[in-house]
Amino acid sequence: MQPTPRSSLFANHNFTLLFGGSTISAIGDQFTLVALPWLVLKLTGDPAALGLVLAAIALPRAVFMLIGGAVVDRMSPRRVLLAGRAVNALLVSLLALLVLAGAIHMWMIYVIALGIGLSTAFAYPAGSAILPQLVEPTQLQPANALFMGMRQLSMIVGPVLAGLVIGTGAHAGQRQVVADASGLGLAFGVDAVSFLFSLGSLMLVRIHSDHHPKAPVGSVLGNVASGIRTIWADLPLRAFILYAAVVSVFVGGPIQVGLPVLADTRLDLGAASLGILMTANGVGMLLGSALSGFASKLVRGRLGLMVLGIDSLVGLVLATLALDHSTVGGAALLAATGMLGGIAQIAIVSWIQRRVAPEMMGRTMSVLMFTFMGLGPLSAAIAGSLLKVISLPALFVGAGLTLSAIALGCMTSPALRSIGAARPAEA
């Protein structure tokens, strides 16, 4: 079969439905990603509380992510994704109503955060497994490129719109229990409505496994164990997963907590500053995605060294955030980290997709998601607590220099340095 032009993907009714619903939902997600940390800071003024909320999302997601991947392999990913997004829609709607009613309390946020983390543990692996059932194998690369570009564009459009929406609450005439309450409630409401579009599109999508589910082989936990054993037996893949886990633990959390605190305490536009920072990072990642193929050709198979070199530079840029006191300066730094991160992300995911057998893709991707989305936010709880005893600049300097030190130190690892050199048949 000859490769199909990218534009012909939209002749596929199921693909068009999934892409359209996911696009609206992705933009809506950015509203909650900006509004939730802002709500916690306005409600408590405590970075440690923000870290605990992020950990409340990450803990069930981390615990159940691998199980979610195995469940998706045993049944229709569309139905799993539909159920996960329906739960998220209910939880975000509840959060919006509580904020607008002035009845929100921290214990409620913790409970909702736990629910969101649990539902996304199943939704994320399902989302990565549904696309191969909608398009031809020759269409997978352009289809993935479209979805990745869409997600980056949502990171550009969504956060700045969210910051503006939240900012409307600062001028509300009524007395509010939480600062910016009306704007925060509206932001959560926008995300809730976006989920309805996603749910509607998913209900119309039809895939093969809806009517021809796979026959389960072994138990769910047995499937998880077999996936982990397969990854562990692949030395370069194992080395990268372990490296990514260390980076997530030592760097991911401080950045997740540090950026909202930076916008709140040192920048001039409040919630809009946070939105602009996140948007700048999305712009950089979009540019990095476009440059990734060119960069991979330049390194000629030395993908591991390229990723480690990029991470060492990203660490230095993050450390420079300690000196930032302006939205423009912070946006420039976040754009730079986004561009470098986008180059590395596309290159490493493509390498994994080429290397891993199709029947193991779901479980492999769930392990990768666990590494980035499960472990990183857990360290946010520690980072929030650290801000009680150290300054924000010290947090950025420590996180950035730690990343650079880890990346430079790992350049001595033969397994990491060999990433990209071996052909899939040699894996």
Side-chain angles (χ1 to χ4, degrees), residues 117-207:
L118 181 60
S119 65
T120 53
F122 293 84
Y124 283 168
S128 68
I130 193 172
L131 194 59
Q133 297 193 37
L134 292 181
V135 302
E136 298 294 332
T138 54
Q139 294 179 310
L140 276 173
Q141 185 173 351
N144 278 315
L146 282 171
F147 268 92
M148 190 162 295
M150 174 269 290
R151 285 192 291 269
Q152 300 306 326
L153 287 173
S154 74
M155 293 174 63
I156 297 170
V157 176
V160 69
L161 292 178
L164 294 173
V165 168
I166 295 170
T168 63
H171 308 291
Q174 70 271 26
R175 182 175 180 271
Q176 298 177 340
V177 177
V178 181
D180 301 342
S182 61
L184 285 164
L186 181 57
F188 290 124
V190 169
D191 191 16
V193 171
S194 75
F195 273 117
L196 298 180
F197 285 92
S198 176
L199 292 172
S201 68
L202 279 171
M203 291 175 68
L204 297 174
V205 168
R206 294 293 180 267
I207 60 175

Side-chain angles (χ1 to χ4, degrees), residues 18-89:
L18 180 67
F19 186 82
S22 297
T23 298
I24 296 174
S25 180
I27 294 174
D29 287 345
Q30 299 301 317
F31 280 74
T32 291
L33 288 174
V34 175
L36 185 58
W38 201 253
L39 171 63
V40 174
L41 289 177
K42 295 294 104 174
L43 197 61
T44 67
D46 186 2
L50 173 57
L52 288 174
V53 169
L54 295 175
I57 295 175
L59 181 60
R61 188 168 61 193
V63 171
F64 290 97
M65 180 75 76
L66 302 183
I67 294 176
V71 168
V72 168
D73 282 343
R74 296 165 66 94
M75 59 189 299
S76 166
R78 185 190 72 88
R79 293 176 178 172
V80 176
L81 184 59
L82 189 61
R85 288 187 175 175
V87 171
N88 274 346

